[in-house]
């Protein structure tokens, strides 16, 4: 059994600059989408509950 | 359900390609008509919740567009107007377009249901299903009535907006739906009169391809005659006021004039009527159809903008957006 050659492993292969830029852009878009989703869920929770948050037995 | 052929990637997908999958221009029309329905409902809804409802409807429309681009990649590759889209151009893999469509469909329907109500969410789910499955996978490739029946998907956003705000879908909401539904055939057939070579090459049975230009011109005239009374209906039910009546009547008269020019002209008879790949640069014979196509967009925009304006200007009255919750 031989160890994988770092130079021929896909993960280690040099990526062309255009592909790297495209991937960075996609990653940023996904990150923004996830942050937006969190904000949306937060807003929905706040506005759906509204004043009802205080309307409960303490 | 036949999955489209795998396309070899020609360049790495950029995030803009995924935005293009959502058909942003169609989304903007959906946002506009859905917002009109939401405002016209005159229901006490918080602006943030209203914005979330519109966002869900827009994302749902984008999801169905992505599913459409996944399934129709073979057709799109054969048409001048659509061959530059991300999937046929090889920039996005079909499986990625499919995944994006499914994820956004689930996201938009679930969020709309949890945030607003399940009637609106159900209508949105039906709209996505109708566009992606009934229209894209079935009607589009099967019958010349594809855009007549399939037009329902594009007509439903105002009803979803209304239901999101009010929790119900009364007659006035369905009148808004009927306006878009009746507007769709003359709008798309006017376009198809000068793009029929594209549709014929792609094997899509649009009316000019299956029945000829003369029949299409007659059908445009008939649907235009049916459209105008529907556009006047909001004035009769009280949904639209005096300004709306004026816009619907005067604008409708212009619509009929342009439709009659198409009816009595020769649009669609000449081969290769387009000068460029764009939708507006056409040769003389196709100008009547081009004019009706362009004006139909303006007419629908004016109708909904007037309704929107009338209801927003009346927002000083209690219960309208502006004095919310």
């Amino acid at each position: 059994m031989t160890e994988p050659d770092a130079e021929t492993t896909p993960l280690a292969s040099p990526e062309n600059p255009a592909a790297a830029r495209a991937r960075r852009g996609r990653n940023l878009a996904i990150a923004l989408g996830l942050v937006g989703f969190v904000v949306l869920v937060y807003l929905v929770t706040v506005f759906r509950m509204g004043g009802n948050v205080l309307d409960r037995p303490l | 359900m036949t999955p489209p052929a795998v396309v070899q990637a020609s360049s790495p997908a950029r995030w803009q390609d995924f935005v293009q999958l959502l058909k942003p221009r169609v989304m903007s029309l959906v946002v506009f008509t859905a917002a009109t329905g939401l405002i016209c409902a005159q229901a006490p809804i918080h602006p943030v919740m209203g914005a979330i409802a519109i966002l869900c409807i827009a994302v749902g429309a984008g999801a169905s567009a992505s599913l459409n681009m996944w399934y129709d990649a073979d057709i799109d590759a054969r048409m001048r107007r659509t061959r530059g889209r991300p999937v046929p151009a090889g920039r996005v893999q079909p499986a990625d377009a499919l995944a994006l469509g499914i994820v956004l469909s689930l996201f938009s329907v679930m969020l709309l249901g949890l945030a607003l109500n399940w009637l609106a969410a159900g209508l949105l789910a039906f709209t996505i299903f109708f566009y992606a499955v009934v229209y894209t996978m079935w009607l589009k490739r099967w019958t010349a009535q594809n855009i007549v029946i399939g037009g329902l998907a594009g007509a439903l956003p105002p009803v979803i907006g209304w239901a999101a705000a009010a929790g119900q879908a009364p007659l006035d909401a369905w009148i808004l739906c009927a306006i878009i539904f009746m507007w769709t055939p003359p709008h798309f057939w006017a376009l198809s009169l000068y793009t029929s070579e594209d549709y014929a090459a792609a094997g899509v049975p649009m009316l000019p391809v299956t029945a000829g230009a003369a029949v299409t011109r007659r059908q445009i005239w008939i649907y235009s005659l049916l459209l105008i009374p529907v556009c006047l209906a909001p004035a009769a039910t009280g949904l639209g006021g005096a300004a709306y009546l004026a816009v619907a009547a005067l604008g409708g008269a212009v619509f009929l004039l342009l439709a009659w020019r198409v009816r009595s002209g020769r649009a669609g008879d000449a081969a290769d009527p387009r000068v460029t790949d764009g939708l507006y640069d056409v040769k003389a014979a196709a100008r009547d159809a081009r004019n009706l196509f362009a004006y139909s967009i303006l007419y629908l925009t004016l109708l909904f903008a007037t309704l929107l304006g009338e209801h927003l200007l009346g927002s000083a009255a209690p219960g309208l957006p502006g004095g919310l919750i």
Side-chain angles (χ1 to χ4, degrees), chain B residues 17 23 27 33 40 46 53 75 84 112 119 170 223 269 276-277 284 298 306 308 315:
Chain B
D17 293 321
K23 297 189 184 174
M27 274 172 90
T33 58
C40 288
H46 193 282
I75 289 178
L112 188 60
L119 172 64
Y223 272 94
D269 286 346
T276 65
D277 284 355
L298 176 67
T306 310
L308 203 56
S315 62

Side-chain angles (χ1 to χ4, degrees), chain B:
Chain B
M1 190 164 92
T2 312
V6 174
V7 179
Q8 205 61 45
S10 62
S11 58
R14 300 172 309 148
W15 63 270
Q16 292 94 330
D17 293 321
F18 289 94
V19 172
Q20 208 185 330
L21 283 178
L22 309 181
K23 297 189 184 174
R25 284 174 67 184
V26 175
M27 274 172 90
S28 64
L29 185 64
V30 167
V31 165
F32 179 52
T33 58
T36 304
L38 188 132
I39 300 289
C40 288
Q42 302 193 9
I45 179 174
H46 193 282
V48 172
M49 296 306 280
I52 289 173
I54 299 299
L55 176 74
C56 289
I57 298 168
V59 171
S64 58
S66 186
L67 293 172
N68 168 275
M69 286 211 203
W70 160 69
Y71 195 81
D72 273 353
D74 58 334
I75 289 178
D76 288 345
R78 292 199 289 269
M79 295 184 26
R80 274 197 295 176
R81 184 169 66 87
T82 55
R83 63 186 167 206
R85 286 177 173 176
V87 179
R91 298 194 302 277
V92 172
Q93 286 298 300
D96 292 342
L98 173 65
L100 183 71
I102 291 173
V103 168
L104 292 185
S105 296
L106 293 173
F107 163 79
S108 58
V109 171
M110 294 305 292
L111 187 62
L112 188 60
L114 291 169
L116 276 305
N117 61 68
W118 291 100
L119 172 64
L123 283 166
L124 181 61
F126 174 76
T127 304
I128 295 170
F129 171 80
F130 197 83
Y131 185 74
V133 177
V134 177
Y135 170 71
T136 300
M137 296 181 189
W138 180 39
L139 293 171
K140 185 172 179 180
R141 295 164 191 251
W142 175 64
T143 170
Q145 296 300 310
N146 47 16
I147 53 108
V148 179
I149 309 166
L152 180 63
L156 278 169
V159 185
I160 306 171
W162 197 301
Q168 55 181 327
L171 176 67
D172 278 339
W174 291 106
I175 288 177
L176 294 180
C177 174
I179 289 173
I180 304 176
F181 184 77
M182 295 305 296
W183 166 90
T184 305
H187 168 75
F188 270 109
W189 281 335
L191 171 68
S192 67
L193 272 177
Y194 59 94
T195 54
S196 59
E197 287 189 342
D198 262 6
Y199 289 113
V204 179
M206 289 296 278
L207 196 60
V209 177
T210 60
V215 171
T216 307
R217 292 195 295 262
R218 192 164 63 243
Q219 289 291 316
I220 286 174
W221 174 240
I222 292 169
Y223 272 94
S224 300
L225 285 174
L226 295 172
L227 168 68
I228 306 308
V230 177
C231 292
L232 293 171
T237 63
L239 175 63
Y244 178 83
L245 178 62
V247 169
L250 294 174
V254 176
F255 196 104
L256 286 178
L257 176 70
L258 293 175
W260 177 252
R261 284 190 179 161
V262 173
R263 169 77 181 88
S264 54
R266 297 190 56 210
D269 286 346
D272 197 17
R274 277 190 288 168
V275 177
T276 65
D277 284 355
L279 294 182
Y280 297 99
D281 202 5
V282 298
K283 292 176 184 169
R287 275 185 200 142
D288 290 334
R290 188 273 317 268
N291 290 345
L292 179 63
F293 171 73
Y295 178 74
S296 65
I297 299 171
L298 176 67
Y299 184 51
L300 189 72
T301 306
L302 283 175
L303 289 178
F304 277 75
T306 310
L307 275 179
L308 203 56
E310 282 184 339
H311 284 80
L312 285 173
L313 287 175
S315 62
L320 285 177
L324 304 144
I325 285 202

